[in-house]
Amino acid sequence: MVDEKPGWTFLTNHAHVLACIAEEPDIRGRDIAVRVGITERAAQAIVSDLVADGYVTRTRVGRRNHYAIHADAPLRHPLDRGITIGDLLVSLGKLKPTSRRAGHARVRKDRSSTG
């Protein structure tokens, strides 16, 4: 069975890329592209956007990149005021909440989960 890409989705490619990084902080750009259904160049551009705007930090480790998400960073749209990246990723099941601080979810990756 071949997965068909829907005509539209509720989340943007930026949210999908962020979710990939949350699931696998050492993910390669080509793997992000395959999972999201975009080109590798588009995946790299989105990661660069996320880094430039302070949502993700990229650190070079050998020949690979390691990414860290800034869970306290707010979503960008005015309707989402008060919601953080961490809140979004927790609601998507990509991160587990660890505690509440300043009204926002602090999150950590649960490395023991398999899903």
Side-chain angles (χ1 to χ4, degrees), residues 2-72:
V2 176
D3 290 335
E4 292 185 31
K5 189 169 182 176
W8 63 274
T9 64
F10 283 99
L11 300 176
T12 67
N13 287 340
H14 281 69
H16 289 130
V17 168
L18 189 67
C20 289
I21 291 170
E23 287 181 323
E24 190 177 338
D26 297 315
I27 193 168
R28 297 179 305 172
R30 73 179 67 160
D31 296 326
I32 291 171
V34 168
R35 290 182 191 175
V36 176
I38 57 179
T39 66
E40 191 171 343
R41 178 174 272 183
Q44 291 169 349
I46 290 171
V47 169
S48 292
D49 287 346
L50 295 171
V51 169
D53 289 339
Y55 291 98
V56 172
T57 298
R58 175 177 35 212
T59 306
R60 194 79 170 158
V61 179
R63 294 178 58 198
R64 304 272 305 257
N65 289 317
H66 176 82
Y67 301 98
I69 293 173
H70 300 275
D72 290 335

